[in-house]
């Protein structure tokens, strides 16, 4: 009986050391970092989505504004917000790709909208619209920061998941590598929409 007690005691003593040495504790820590970084990405994308209805409503007040450009923003927002994001999305490359593409389409639509606005002096001078543009720029900057933190967190996790011997721990405890924002997508949507915050130049100014 004493031998059994000693074995149990040794197992209890060695288990944390073995788990720590094989990277189990690191996986726990890095997985939580990825989840936290992802939550912030979603938070900032939602913040942007919440701004768009007010931007659309303000732009609609401009006579003869290009409706096609406005419609594309509305449709892109609808598509982006319709995608159901779950914890499993982080481990599902296809679902992650769909989410990524939808957000990219919305970024592109917003960029086109802001470029089009430059042709409407009255709208550019509208204080309410200017305020919304400032909020949009701030949100886009937050999105970039949040995405970069997520990319770093996923890279750290994936290095651990692919390295030996911690890759064995990853297989044993079901820690697959996580999908990340692609290089092509980064080039397309990591730059905030083109937003020119210069006020309309006074009449006659050069």
């Amino acid at each position: 009986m004493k031998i059994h007690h000693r074995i149990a005691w040794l197992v209890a003593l060695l288990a944390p050391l073995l788990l720590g040495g094989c990277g189990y504790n690191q996986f726990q820590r890095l997985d939580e970092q990825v989840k936290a970084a992802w939550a912030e990405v979603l938070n900032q994308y939602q913040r942007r989505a919440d701004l768009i209805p007010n931007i659309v409503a303000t732009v609609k007040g401009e006579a003869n504004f290009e409706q096609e450009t406005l419609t594309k923003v509305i449709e892109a927002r609808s598509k982006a917000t319709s995608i159901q994001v779950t914890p499993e999305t982080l481990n599902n490359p296809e679902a992650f790709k769909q989410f990524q593409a939808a957000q990219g389409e919305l970024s592109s639509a917003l960029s086109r909208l802001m470029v089009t606005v430059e042709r409407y002096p009255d709208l550019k001078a509208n204080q309410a619209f200017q305020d919304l543009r400032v909020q949009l720029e701030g949100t886009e900057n937050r999105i970039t920061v949040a995405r970069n933190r997520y990319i770093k967190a996923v890279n750290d996790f994936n290095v651990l998941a692919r390295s030996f011997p911690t890759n064995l721990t990853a297989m044993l405890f079901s820690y697959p590598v996580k999908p990340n924002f692609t290089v092509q997508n980064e080039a397309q949507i990591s730059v905030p929409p083109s937003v020119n915050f210069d006020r309309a130049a006074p009449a006659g100014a050069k």
Side-chain angles (χ1 to χ4, degrees), residues 18 30 54 64 99 104 106-107 113 126 145 156 166 177 180 192:
L18 292 173
L30 294 180
N54 289 333
N64 302 318
F99 171 83
L106 180 53
S107 291
L113 176 65
N126 184 310
V145 171
D156 290 345
T166 50
V177 294
N180 211 340

Side-chain angles (χ1 to χ4, degrees), residues 13-161:
L13 179 65
L14 293 176
L17 297 177
L18 292 173
L19 289 174
C22 68
Y24 179 80
N25 290 337
Q26 285 178 280
F27 275 114
Q28 294 292 311
R29 177 175 58 83
L30 294 180
D31 191 47
E32 289 303 316
Q33 287 183 3
V34 169
K35 290 176 182 176
W38 178 245
E40 184 59 19
V41 168
L42 294 180
N43 180 50
Q44 296 307 328
Y45 275 135
Q46 184 60 52
R47 180 188 179 95
R48 180 173 70 176
D50 291 343
L51 275 174
I52 292 174
N54 289 333
I55 292 174
V56 169
T58 305
V59 171
K60 277 184 176 179
E62 174 67 25
N64 302 318
F65 190 84
E66 298 177 19
Q67 291 303 307
E68 182 181 356
T69 300
L70 202 57
T71 299
K72 286 184 177 179
V73 171
I74 296 171
E75 291 176 347
R77 178 189 183 276
S78 177
K79 182 177 180 180
T81 55
S82 68
I83 295 178
Q84 296 297 314
V85 180
T86 67
E88 287 71 30
T89 301
L90 293 182
N91 297 317
N92 186 330
E94 187 57 36
F96 189 90
K97 183 179 179 181
Q98 291 177 359
F99 171 83
Q100 178 182 0
Q103 294 297 338
E105 289 176 14
L106 180 53
S107 291
S108 296
L110 280 171
S111 293
R112 289 192 294 271
L113 176 65
M114 292 305 167
V115 169
T116 303
V117 164
E118 295 301 314
R119 299 197 288 269
Y120 295 84
D122 290 344
L123 186 56
K124 287 175 61 178
N126 184 310
Q127 187 59 50
F129 186 72
Q130 289 292 339
D131 292 343
L132 289 169
R133 293 178 77 164
V134 171
Q135 292 181 55
L136 178 61
E137 184 195 49
T139 300
E140 291 292 349
N141 289 336
R142 291 187 186 96
I143 287 173
T144 299
V145 171
R147 281 163 51 87
N148 287 340
R149 287 176 178 169
Y150 176 77
I151 290 168
K152 174 64 166 57
V154 171
N155 284 343
D156 290 345
F157 181 94
N158 287 348
V159 166
L160 188 67

